[in-house]
Amino acid sequence: MRIAIYPGSFDPITNGHLDILNRATHLFDKVIIAVLSNPIKNCFFGVEERLELIKATTAEMPKVEVDSFDGLTVVYAVKQNASILIRGLRALSDFEHELQMAQANKSINPNIETIFLMCSLEYAYLSSSLVREISFLGGDISDVVPKCVNEYISKLREKRFTNDYK
Ligand code: COA
């Protein structure tokens, strides 16, 4: 069984992530989307919120499992019997950071390979923080995030505005 890990912060999951995930399921028997839970990065959404949104998004994807992890990604991969890490590449600017991470991971565990999928053109500019910013400033994100994420963020936004004007 060929198992791949798709690690990331997913703060929140966007259609750009979903595009990569969906294409990875055509290449592997199982893809574990793994949410980083240690606080290297200050995330806006809590781990449980991010996991719930991913679970709702991937409910109809039988090859996908959703999990969280902390510590080293390659150590987590070994625990899951996975030998592949999937990463999406959006633009040239991603390359340097991704190359460094792939080489660091390789130096820690040479048996784990990183495979890069080029993101589809329509999502090349997307990032989770951009999605949050557009939405919280009143913009429409329905074309770039899964339905459940759009609804969840819209509710948060309404709550914030209701509290602001009380
Ligand atoms: N579509 C949309 N957005 C995308 C995307 C895509 N296809 N691919 C990347 N992004 C965006 C993300 O939304 C995120 O945006 P944000 O900064 O606005 O939140 C940004 O790109 C970074 O992606 P992220 O998945 O958060 O990657 P990262 O560079 O923070 O790395 C891990 C996350 C989990 C892979 C990395 O931190 C890690 O491996 N940590 C474990 C510790 C470890 O093993 N360290 C040694 C190896 S370096």
Side-chain angles (χ1 to χ4, degrees):
M1 196 179 196
R2 289 165 63 82
I3 304 172
I5 307 287
Y6 181 25
S9 46
F10 305 105
D11 189 31
I13 186 168
T14 69
N15 287 349
H17 296 124
L18 203 52
D19 167 52
I20 300 292
L21 181 66
N22 196 22
R23 285 159 50 204
T25 60
H26 297 304
L27 302 172
F28 300 98
D29 300 309
K30 179 160 101 177
V31 181
I32 304 175
I33 179 162
V35 177
L36 179 69
S37 68
N38 53 344
I40 290 175
K41 193 168 171 180
N42 279 332
C43 286
F44 181 84
F45 293 106
V47 183
E48 292 307 322
E49 277 174 302
R50 285 180 277 150
L51 285 172
E52 281 311 310
L53 291 172
I54 297 171
K55 281 180 189 161
T57 303
T58 59
E60 308 287 313
M61 298 172 81
K63 284 185 174 180
V64 173
E65 268 183 25
V66 185
D67 196 11
S68 63
F69 75 104
D70 53 22
L72 293 171
T73 308
V74 288
V75 171
Y76 172 75
V78 170
K79 277 188 202 149
Q80 297 297 327
N81 290 320
S83 54
I84 305 286
L85 302 180
I86 300 286
R87 293 291 288 168
L89 277 183
R90 291 165 301 172
L92 200 57
S93 50
D94 279 344
F95 179 77
E96 217 168 317
H97 174 61
E98 293 297 338
L99 178 69
Q100 191 184 27
M101 278 211 294
Q103 287 173 339
N105 285 329
K106 194 87 181 158
S107 75
I108 303 166
N109 187 336
N111 299 319
I112 306 284
E113 204 61 67
T114 303
I115 290 189
F116 295 101
L117 296 179
M118 304 299 156
C119 83
S120 299
L121 197 57
E122 65 263 45
Y123 305 124
Y125 70 95
L126 260 192
S127 75
S128 298
S129 48
L130 195 72
V131 157
R132 294 198 309 271
E133 182 174 329
I134 294 171
S135 180
F136 285 125
L137 293 175
D140 180 9
I141 55 164
S142 57
D143 283 346
V144 292
V145 294
K147 194 164 174 264
C148 64
V149 173
N150 187 32
E151 287 170 358
Y152 191 76
I153 296 188
S154 299
K155 273 189 204 141
L156 280 187
R157 194 177 59 187
E158 276 165 31
K159 220 190 269 176
R160 200 181 98 182
F161 284 136
T162 313
N163 286 340
D164 282 354
Y165 291 105
K166 259 182 190 168

